[in-house]
């Protein structure tokens, strides 16, 4: 979109933001001018000799003093049952889990993974893992067996916390995981004849006193697997020192204040759930809501009404789905507690921002970041006017630019690769066991995000698209290679090429072009069988909603499928340079 096009959406919304409270950040530009990370490190309690532990800042600091009896977590179960945990209780329970892990022989920087639905146990065990100095790794509960195996195998996870309904998927690949030693099962679902450990039994026996491990800020806290254009998902690793930025961005961007009740709708299997559904808000001592049920407009509005949610962080696909359900639905609920709304994960169209204003009296504020960046880097702020459709401006202390193929910054208004100057505290420290892949992120001293964007004269960033083939579907990141690999494992499939196809509701859907093996006939039935097969291997969100059977696929002379050509054909766009295309 041209600069002129962007300006069409420009509007000063400051007066319409209806800020009920004075924001934590009053003036972005002056904060930027006087900014230094050292200054905000003063707000993060550390131990002697520069040692620290993010779990201390997230929970333990609040468990002593006035917040001890403050609710840290309101948990709304699938069945409508409510559980409440204070900061004091979270501190004690996570200490207990840390002791459970110690008893099982966990050592510093061992990997403890979770394949668990959203539940209080997931929050508790995550914090407990950090307390023993181990690395926590979460996995989305919808993952299929291949997705699980790839993550557990690559990370060399020794410990897995799971639940009865999910553990069978782990057993399908158990024999391929030589390093996995212990399976801990929550909610009394453990089968001792299989050597499984019962979470409740161990927690009951464990002491609630634990001496937290003193970590170097560069030692690792959590890791998350995410997709790129090529290869299997890669393990993005984060460090304890990231907490300063998780804390500060929650304060300035989400504007969290002591009496807020905050709800982040993301699953803890994704980075948004970990950073802004657990660590950052708790580092600010904020009461959070966790919801264990499925997405349903009525159920979501009910959560807001029941817990009097004031600050709400969600995603564009959810906003579009709520919009599609109709404006009448929220009118049946009391939404008056809401005061600030944010969105992340995919482009937030101007319609979404405006719909927030219309229905809740507040716009959705777009925020941009990635699994790799570890916290919000480009964003709107309560103190700043929104330009409809823009992602907002850089977070203080962050330098960003649009660069060309050589990594040279481009002039204002030009479209190119969105790049950031590395070195912010929450940035990923490495790709697990793959330094080469980590190094590929950098060009001429810049971290290259994989997104394309422009910057306008006022310093607002505008998202253009992905520079690579990564697909964002319903806000979730899927690599075409993973889907293609799962497809070709189906006995009827010879070859497959996968692209993201724009979709009004989900942002993109996954579309596969499939070449069948000789003798196989395309049919609706086969299409469905293949879809179910991929769902079982990867995840519910990662299967191709559309499959087109084709006789051949465009390939380079070296045999690589040209997704670019598939995409151009699908969208009716010019195919571009085909000089490397294979010819008969
Ligand atoms: O393409 C951008 C898109 O999501 C990617 C990062 O995905 P992931 O690592 O899964 O993290 C998602 C949540 C932190 C980005 O490279 N993305 C994220 N936020 C936005 C966005 N695209 C447009 N607008 C955004 N606000």
């Amino acid at each position: 979109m041209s600069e002129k096009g962007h300006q069409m959406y420009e509007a000063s919304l400051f007066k319409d933001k209806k800020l009920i409270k004075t924001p934590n950040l009053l003036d972005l530009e002056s904060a930027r001018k006087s900014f230094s990370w050292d200054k905000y490190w003063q707000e993060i309690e550390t131990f002697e000799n520069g040692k620290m532990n993010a779990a201390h800042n997230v929970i333990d600091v609040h468990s002593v003093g006035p917040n001890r009896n403050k609710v840290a977590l309101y948990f709304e179960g699938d069945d409508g049952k409510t559980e409440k945990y204070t900061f004091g209780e979270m501190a004690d329970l996570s200490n207990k889990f840390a002791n459970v892990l110690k008893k099982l022989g966990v050592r510093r920087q061992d990997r403890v993974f979770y394949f668990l639905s959203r539940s209080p146990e997931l929050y508790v065990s995550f914090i407990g893992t950090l307390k023993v100095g181990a690395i926590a790794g979460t996995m989305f509960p919808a993952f299929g067996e291949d997705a699980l195996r790839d993550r557990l195998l690559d990370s060399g996870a020794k410990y897995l916390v799971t639940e009865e309904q999910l553990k069978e998927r782990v057993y399908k690949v158990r024999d391929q995981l030589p390093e996995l030693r212990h399976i801990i099962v929550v909610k009394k679902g453990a089968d001792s004849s299989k050597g499984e450990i019962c979470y409740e039994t161990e927690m009951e026996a464990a002491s609630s006193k634990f001496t937290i491990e003193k970590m170097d800020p560069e030692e690792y806290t959590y890791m998350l697997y995410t997709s790129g254009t090529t290869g299997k998902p890669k393990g993005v690793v984060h460090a304890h020192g990231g907490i300063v930025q998780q804390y500060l961005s929650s304060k300035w961007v989400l504007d969290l204040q002591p009496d807020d009740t905050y709800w982040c709708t993301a699953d803890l299997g994704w980075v948004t759930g970990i950073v802004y559904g657990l660590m950052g808000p708790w580092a600010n001592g904020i009461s959070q809501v966790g919801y264990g049920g499925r997405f349903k407009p009525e159920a979501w509005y009910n959560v807001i009404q029941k817990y009097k949610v004031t600050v709400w962080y969600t995603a564009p696909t959810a906003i579009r789905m709520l919009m599609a359900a109709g404006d009448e639905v929220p009118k049946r609920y009391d939404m008056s507690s809401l005061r600030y709304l944010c969105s992340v994960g995919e482009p937030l169209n101007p319609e979404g921002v405006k719909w927030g204003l219309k229905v809740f009296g507040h716009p959705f504020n777009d925020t941009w970041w990635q699994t790799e960046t570890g916290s919000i880097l480009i964003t709107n702020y309560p103190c700043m006017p929104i330009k409809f459709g823009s992602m907002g401006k850089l977070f203080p202390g962050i330098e960003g630019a649009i660069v060309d193929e050589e990594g040279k910054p481009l002039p204002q208004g030009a479209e190119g690769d969105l790049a950031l100057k590395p070195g912010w505290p929450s940035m990923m420290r490495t790709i697990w066991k793959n330094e080469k892949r980590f190094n590929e992120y950098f060009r001429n001293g810049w971290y290259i995000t994989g997104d394309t964007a422009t910057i306008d004269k006022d310093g607002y960033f505008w998202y253009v698209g992905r520079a690579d083939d990564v697909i964002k579907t319903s806000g979730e990141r899927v690599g075409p290679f993973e889907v293609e690999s799962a497809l070709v494992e189906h006995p009827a499939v010879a070859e497959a090429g996968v692209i993201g196809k724009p979709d009004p509701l989900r942002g993109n859907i996954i579309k596969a072009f499939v070449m069948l093996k000789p003798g196989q006939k395309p049919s609706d039935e086969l299409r469905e069988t293949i879809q179910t097969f991929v769902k079982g291997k990867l995840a519910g969100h990662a299967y191709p909603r559309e499959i087109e059977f084709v006789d051949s696929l465009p390939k380079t002379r070296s045999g690589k499928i040209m997704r670019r050509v598939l995409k151009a054909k699908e969208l009716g766009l010019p195919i571009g340079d085909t000089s490397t295309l294979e010819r008969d």
Side-chain angles (χ1 to χ4, degrees), residues 164 167-172 174 180-185 189-197:
E164 199 168 8
K167 69 182 186 189
E168 287 320 312
R169 263 180 258 165
V170 180
Y171 279 106
K172 288 203 176 132
R174 176 77 182 86
L180 182 60
R181 274 198 222 148
H182 293 291
I183 299 182
I184 303 168
V185 184
D191 179 348
S192 55
S193 71
K194 286 184 171 158
E196 292 170 0
I197 293 154

Side-chain angles (χ1 to χ4, degrees), residues 353-370:
V353 184
K354 291 178 188 168
W355 182 74
L357 262 172
K358 182 168 94 178
V359 176
F360 307 112
H362 308 281
F364 281 98
N365 288 268
D366 198 10
T367 70
W368 177 96
W369 60 297
Q370 304 179 300

Side-chain angles (χ1 to χ4, degrees), residues 559-580:
K560 250 176 75 181
I561 292 166
M562 293 183 88
R563 299 187 192 113
R564 182 172 58 79
V565 174
L566 288 172
K567 187 143 187 172
K569 276 192 181 154
E570 179 67 34
L571 303 182
L573 297 171
I575 290 170
D577 179 11
T578 53
S579 56
T580 59

Side-chain angles (χ1 to χ4, degrees), residues 271-272 344-347 366-371 391 451 463 466 472 477:
V271 78
T272 308
V344 68
E346 41 175 332
D366 198 10
T367 70
W368 177 96
W369 60 297
Q370 304 179 300
T371 305
M391 305 189 285
D451 287 348
Y463 182 82
R466 286 289 309 186
K472 271 278 169 166
R477 187 162 153 181

Side-chain angles (χ1 to χ4, degrees), residues 76 86 93 97 173 188 214 223 272 279 307 321 325 346 367 452 459-460 467 476 549 561:
E76 171 84 3
T86 63
L93 287 167
F97 191 72
V173 292
K188 303 196 170 119
K214 314 286 186 294
M223 61 192 287
T272 308
M279 299 183 78
Y307 298 96
M321 286 179 173
E346 41 175 332
T367 70
T452 52
Y460 280 72
E476 271 141 24
F549 294 112
I561 292 166

Side-chain angles (χ1 to χ4, degrees), residues 374-481:
S375 66
I376 298 166
L377 295 192
I378 299 170
T379 181
N380 287 278
Y381 308 80
C383 63
M384 186 177 91
I386 292 177
K387 290 192 190 187
F388 293 118
S390 161
M391 305 189 285
K393 290 192 188 185
L394 288 166
F395 193 80
I398 306 296
E399 196 186 329
I402 304 300
V403 302
D404 65 13
E405 283 168 9
E406 285 161 15
K408 292 211 191 78
L410 292 166
Q412 177 253 306
E415 192 175 304
D417 291 324
L418 173 58
L420 302 153
K421 259 276 132 63
W424 60 91
S426 69
M427 186 182 175
M428 66 169 163
R429 296 308 196 266
T430 190
I431 295 294
W432 189 254
K433 290 200 303 203
N434 199 342
E435 200 63 20
K436 182 174 165 281
R437 183 65 196 82
F438 178 68
N439 293 332
E440 283 167 12
Y441 278 99
F442 303 94
R443 193 189 301 162
N444 191 27
W446 290 94
Y447 162 77
I448 307 295
T449 62
D451 287 348
T452 52
T454 63
I455 310 175
D456 71 15
K457 61 179 183 354
D458 302 317
Y460 280 72
F461 285 67
W462 299 81
Y463 182 82
V464 174
R466 286 289 309 186
D468 55 18
D469 294 338
V470 166
I471 303 165
K472 271 278 169 166
T473 176
S474 300
E476 271 141 24
R477 187 162 153 181
V478 177
F481 177 79

Side-chain angles (χ1 to χ4, degrees), residues 190-217:
D191 179 348
S192 55
S193 71
K194 286 184 171 158
E196 292 170 0
I197 293 154
C198 173
Y199 176 90
E200 285 73 22
T201 309
E202 293 300 320
M203 287 290 277
E204 210 167 297
S207 159
S208 61
K209 301 271 173 284
F210 183 77
T211 308
I212 199 164
E213 286 290 320
K214 314 286 186 294
M215 311 299 290
D216 186 277

